[in-house]
Amino acid sequence: MKTDPLKEGSLTQNGAGIGTVTQEMVRARAVELAVINGHSADDVSVIDLEQAQRELTGESDVDPKDAILEAAPESERWDPLPGSTGHKVEATSNEDEDGEGRIDSARLAEEGVAEAEHDQMVQASKVQQEEDEREKGQ
């Protein structure tokens, strides 16, 4: 059941009652909307006029075409082949993945970390050997 648009529209403007919405009021609001959207006051679009009309009369802010789409269930909003159930596609392996499912960049990063750890251990061993030799020499 539709509600009375007179009860839903804008009742006041700058604290004063606006009464019946006139074309001049719609045009003035459309000019404001055009300026807000970065256009000149002389460059009012049809979209600005429609939005001004909706705002002043209390209509939904949603475009009627969008409202129809929104009312449809999510599963039916976009159906490229209505009635088609589709089919399951086999999962394909990614050529960049190894046997454990890691991609090349992850594998290379792990190898780099392992190599860095090895280098640190070798360096620590050399330092330890040098310290041991200094202690023996004293």
Side-chain angles (χ1 to χ4, degrees), residues 84-127:
S84 172
T85 59
H87 63 283
K88 188 172 183 175
V89 177
E90 287 185 34
T92 59
S93 64
N94 187 343
E95 292 178 11
D96 295 338
E97 290 181 358
D98 63 6
E100 297 174 2
R102 297 178 299 177
I103 59 172
D104 286 342
S105 58
R107 184 181 47 78
L108 291 173
E110 288 175 12
E111 288 176 5
V113 169
E115 186 68 27
E117 287 174 350
H118 177 76
D119 289 345
Q120 287 177 342
M121 289 187 284
V122 169
Q123 187 65 27
S125 296
K126 287 182 183 178
V127 169

Side-chain angles (χ1 to χ4, degrees), residues 5-23:
L6 295 177
K7 293 181 181 176
E8 293 182 6
S10 183
L11 301 175
T12 63
Q13 186 173 14
N14 298 326
I18 62 169
T20 304
V21 176
T22 64
Q23 288 298 347

